[in-house]
Amino acid sequence: MEPGDRPRLDHVGLNVRDLEAMVEWYVSAFGHRVQSRFVLGALDLRIVMLIDDAGRRFELLARGSGSPGLRAASPVEAAATWGFGHVAFVVPDLLASYGQLVAGGEAAVLAPAPSPEAGWWFAWVRDPEGNLVELIGRPPT
């Protein structure tokens, strides 16, 4: 298999309750834009594909009805449950991004701190529907 023939991650999908509110939040929080919208009427499913300037895609999906899934209190609790635990975004300025999200009303979970991965810091917030979001950035200077 040639290097270009190897599988690569195309996108991650997140099921949400309020599709338009979550599109607005992820676009505002991480600079994505809407790439496409789909409706699968027979399944009562609406899909919005977001993309960033580097071509990384993030998909939001919503059905007319559903029930909440995992809402872990912390990253440690999420790691003890099999399945989706969180989504992570590399941000250019960790302190500024974290401050902006928390000031905007998102729930702070873990303030910026050194990551277990050398040379990086991380922080955690919840999106408006309670999903864990990890922010990753270089150490503050």
Side-chain angles (χ1 to χ4, degrees):
M1 182 182 290
E2 296 297 317
D5 294 338
R6 296 209 170 132
R8 67 173 176 80
L9 180 66
D10 181 78
H11 68 274
V12 173
L14 178 63
N15 301 320
V16 301
R17 183 180 60 245
D18 186 338
L19 184 61
E20 294 310 316
M22 296 300 280
V23 166
E24 182 179 320
W25 190 82
Y26 278 96
V27 165
S28 173
F30 300 108
H32 285 78
R33 65 185 180 283
V34 173
Q35 180 184 35
S36 56
R37 292 176 177 268
F38 309 91
V39 175
L40 303 176
L43 300 175
D44 188 27
L45 181 62
R46 296 175 296 131
I47 302 167
V48 175
M49 185 64 74
L50 304 176
I51 191 166
D52 69 11
D53 291 339
R56 293 175 294 245
R57 300 186 331 148
F58 189 65
E59 182 180 42
L60 299 172
L61 306 97
R63 292 191 65 194
S65 63
S67 59
L70 171 67
R71 294 294 186 267
S74 71
V76 173
E77 182 182 326
T81 305
W82 296 328
F84 178 80
H86 70 279
V87 62
F89 293 94
V90 174
V91 295
D93 184 332
L94 180 66
L95 297 179
S97 295
Y98 178 80
Q100 175 187 358
L101 292 172
V102 171
E106 304 323 316
V109 175
L110 181 67
S115 168
E117 187 176 0
W120 294 93
W121 275 44
F122 66 158
W124 295 76
V125 299
R126 291 189 182 288
D127 73 15
E129 291 194 4
N131 299 297
L132 286 171
V133 177
E134 180 180 7
L135 309 173
I136 302 168
R138 291 294 180 187
T141 56

